[in-house]
Amino acid sequence: MATCVARRALAVGSRWWSRSLTGARWPRPLCAAAGAGAFSPAATTATRRHLSSRNRPEGKVLETVGVFEVPKQNGKYETGQLFLHSIFGYRGVVLFPWQARLYDRDVASAAPEKAENPAGHGSKEVKGKTHTYYQVLIDARDCPHISQRSQTEAVTFLANHDDSRALYAIPGLDYVSHEDILPYTSTDQVPIQHELFERFLLYDQTKAPPFVARETLRAWQEKNHPWLELSDVHRETTENIRVTVIPFYMGMREAQNSHVYWWRYCIRLENLDSDVVQLRERHWRIFSLSGTLETVRGRGVVGREPVLSKEQPAFQYSSHVSLQASSGHMWGTFRFERPDGSHFDVRIPPFSLESNKDEKTPPSGLHWPRRGGRQASRVSWSNGCASPKHDSAKHPDHKCRNLAEEQL
């Protein structure tokens, strides 16, 4: 029961924080139920007493883990900035920023819609605008309580050896939009529990924030830039359900005398209304430059049919797709169900699959700096690899392995 209470506190807390922090005095203490992963910005003694007596898991004591700062309306957060995710409620730390192009079809120009394009779907004239995202590490203590995600986020890489069927993952690595950052400070020299925190960041009390990038982080970012880079973000809202898609090119591999190109894409579903809805079906259309058009239908996503409510308004998952061509397009719909049993379709914004990276350089996800003559260990990743066709179960054709560092 204590675990359930902690999860609920984390799930509902982030949206409450977003409201309560608006116009509040700064700084404000950030409190957590020790060991539970549940947080609240305690504004007053009464608030802290209320959370301690009613909402905390039995036997847990609220502890101050940091002090909230004023969120930045302009400018970027620096490497080493501690934050709370405003939607998913986890603690994290910023590694470095990405400048992405956001294509928001909700604010498209007033120009009339074009006729259907070669990919087979209608298109609006959508102009991208620059938007800041951040590469971050997630605190491992909070991962078990992030119930609105299909799994703790991980960045996946193609294997850079002869096993063309293998995928590798770095758990606890995420991409966070600027507006989802709730910054805070901490006096703890290791405030985030992640196996890469001390490998990537060095404590320096003379700096603000007091965590600076080690050469390990800079070298890793440079080597893996083509496979980590976040360049395009696509967004569209239908009946108060907003769908955001971020595609990532993963690389090309040869299979049966042909080239196979791989992409990963991350999807977030957000309920902007107070009505409860549940995702029931997915319908994908996948167009390849080779001229093929594939239709995929199925129940739910990644084996789940998430409920989006006022308390838990968002759900996020990642999946993979491969084409036997260097580019293509994807689009489709999600079917949602209302409490009265009626259904409605939510558009997935069309997005391009482009292989515009240098294929001469393989991903360096497994090339970690050596220490003691050993490289990172590799263990099985039980979540498997999802795809549009198989995202209700483990992908049958590929293996996923966790790039958990035992020795770096």
Side-chain angles (χ1 to χ4, degrees), residues 103-114 123-128:
Y103 298 91
D104 193 338
R105 299 174 72 84
D106 301 330
V107 293
S109 66
E113 291 195 11
K114 297 180 179 180
S123 174
K124 294 179 181 178
E125 187 69 34
V126 182
K127 295 182 178 180

Side-chain angles (χ1 to χ4, degrees), residues 279-308:
L279 189 152
R280 290 299 191 185
E281 300 175 9
R282 68 187 185 280
H283 176 203
W284 281 105
R285 306 270 285 177
I286 307 169
F287 175 78
S288 171
L289 189 63
S290 62
T292 61
L293 178 62
E294 182 179 7
T295 298
V296 177
R297 293 181 182 271
R299 295 286 296 182
V301 292
V302 291
R304 296 177 62 175
E305 297 180 16
V307 174
L308 304 183

Side-chain angles (χ1 to χ4, degrees), residues 45 73 78 158 162 169 183 191 207 214 216 233 255 266 269 281 298 321 332 340 388:
T45 302
Q73 300 300 318
E78 301 295 330
L158 289 178
D162 294 336
K207 304 292 185 181
R214 292 180 182 268
T216 307
V233 179
C266 177
L269 306 170
E281 300 175 9
V321 64
D340 62 6

Side-chain angles (χ1 to χ4, degrees), residues 5-7 9-10 17 31-40 55 57 62 142 145:
V5 173
R7 288 187 179 184
L10 181 62
W17 295 328
C31 295
F39 307 95
S40 173
N55 293 347
L62 282 180
D142 301 338
H145 310 289

Side-chain angles (χ1 to χ4, degrees), residues 78-328:
E78 301 295 330
T79 295
Q81 175 66 61
L82 302 174
F83 71 92
L84 195 71
H85 197 294
S86 68
I87 300 296
F88 299 114
Y90 64 73
R91 286 167 289 182
V93 62
V94 170
L95 295 181
F96 45 81
W98 292 110
Q99 291 302 302
R101 297 296 294 172
L102 172 61
Y103 298 91
D104 193 338
R105 299 174 72 84
D106 301 330
V107 293
S109 66
E113 291 195 11
K114 297 180 179 180
E116 289 198 349
N117 61 24
H121 58 275
S123 174
K124 294 179 181 178
E125 187 69 34
V126 182
K127 295 182 178 180
K129 64 177 182 179
T130 302
H131 193 76
T132 302
Y133 277 74
Y134 300 93
Q135 195 89 67
V136 308
L137 294 179
I138 301 174
D139 194 309
R141 293 168 294 185
D142 301 338
C143 292
H145 310 289
I146 308 176
S147 60
Q148 313 100 303
R149 307 203 27 174
S150 60
Q151 67 274 331
T152 300
E153 195 63 20
V155 171
T156 47
F157 296 86
L158 289 178
N160 53 1
H161 55 71
D162 294 336
D163 186 357
S164 61
R165 298 172 60 192
L167 291 175
Y168 289 83
I170 303 176
L173 195 62
D174 201 2
Y175 294 84
V176 180
S177 180
H178 183 86
E179 65 269 19
D180 288 340
I181 297 283
L182 294 177
Y184 74 93
T185 59
S186 172
T187 58
D188 192 342
Q189 293 188 19
V190 187
I192 301 297
Q193 289 190 13
H194 190 287
E195 56 196 1
L196 299 179
F197 183 86
E198 292 184 272
R199 301 286 184 257
F200 283 167
L201 299 169
L202 175 68
Y203 180 75
D204 185 346
Q205 62 180 355
T206 66
K207 304 292 185 181
F211 304 98
V212 296
R214 292 180 182 268
E215 183 58 35
T216 307
L217 175 58
R218 287 189 283 263
W220 181 76
Q221 179 185 6
E222 181 179 355
K223 288 182 179 179
N224 294 282
H225 184 277
W227 323 104
L228 291 170
E229 183 181 11
L230 186 159
S231 57
D232 295 335
V233 179
H234 305 266
R235 181 184 294 167
E236 185 168 5
T237 303
T238 308
E239 297 198 34
N240 289 315
I241 304 298
R242 183 164 64 192
V243 180
T244 303
V245 183
I246 307 176
F248 300 87
Y249 178 58
M250 297 175 64
M252 180 271 293
R253 290 294 177 268
E254 294 185 5
Q256 299 179 348
N257 298 321
S258 64
H259 291 168
V260 179
Y261 298 81
W262 280 90
W263 292 264
R264 176 174 63 91
Y265 56 92
C266 177
I267 290 185
R268 182 195 289 188
L269 306 170
E270 293 179 83
N271 186 357
L272 305 180
D273 202 355
S274 58
D275 296 334
V276 178
V277 296
Q278 184 171 13
L279 189 152
R280 290 299 191 185
E281 300 175 9
R282 68 187 185 280
H283 176 203
W284 281 105
R285 306 270 285 177
I286 307 169
F287 175 78
S288 171
L289 189 63
S290 62
T292 61
L293 178 62
E294 182 179 7
T295 298
V296 177
R297 293 181 182 271
R299 295 286 296 182
V301 292
V302 291
R304 296 177 62 175
E305 297 180 16
V307 174
L308 304 183
S309 63
K310 185 177 181 180
E311 291 75 24
Q312 295 191 7
F315 181 80
Q316 185 168 310
Y317 74 97
S318 293
S319 190
H320 302 82
V321 64
S322 63
L323 300 176
Q324 291 186 333
S326 59
S327 64

